[in-house]
Amino acid sequence: GSLSANHQVDGPRLRILHMTPADIGDYVCRADNVLGMREVKFTVSVTSTTTVQETAPSVTVRPLPTSVQVGEMVELHCQVTGQPEPRITWYRAAGPLTSNHQVQGAVL
């Protein structure tokens, strides 16, 4: 049968982007040339339980600026880990960020 849009073929690689029960079944990898053809059939199954261990967020900001001269730009990177993936929010302890501040994901 044909593969759905959830499947990507890139040369010898098959990617199933978001496994669902609809993806359960037999798949075949076939190779052929002028001397013959070979194929391997395998079965893919889906388990519904997650084995990922949840962890509290861990946050590190790099670099740690101690002082910056007036007029200079400083760029801070917030590196986070955690499961599920933590959401990053930047704010000033003294109040909201001004238009002088730019936030792009984990970068201030």
Side-chain angles (χ1 to χ4, degrees), residues 50-56 82-84:
T50 59
T51 57
V52 176
Q53 183 169 347
E54 293 185 345
T55 57
Q83 200 56 252

Side-chain angles (χ1 to χ4, degrees), residues 15 20 27 38 43 50 64 73 106:
R15 289 190 184 113
T20 68
Y27 291 79
R38 295 282 189 264
T43 302
T50 59
L64 291 176
M73 182 193 83

Side-chain angles (χ1 to χ4, degrees), residues 16-82:
I16 303 173
L17 302 178
H18 302 284
M19 287 294 295
T20 68
D23 297 311
I24 294 172
D26 295 331
Y27 291 79
V28 177
C29 176
R30 176 182 291 166
D32 62 86
N33 64 18
V34 295
L35 298 177
M37 185 267 300
R38 295 282 189 264
E39 61 183 32
V40 174
K41 181 178 177 182
F42 58 96
T43 302
V44 173
S45 61
V46 176
T47 57
S48 61
T49 58
T50 59
T51 57
V52 176
Q53 183 169 347
E54 293 185 345
T55 57
S58 171
V59 179
T60 306
V61 175
R62 300 270 190 250
L64 291 176
T66 52
S67 64
V68 179
Q69 292 184 8
V70 172
E72 285 187 345
M73 182 193 83
V74 63
E75 184 172 285
L76 305 175
H77 295 260
C78 185
Q79 299 169 330
V80 299
T81 59

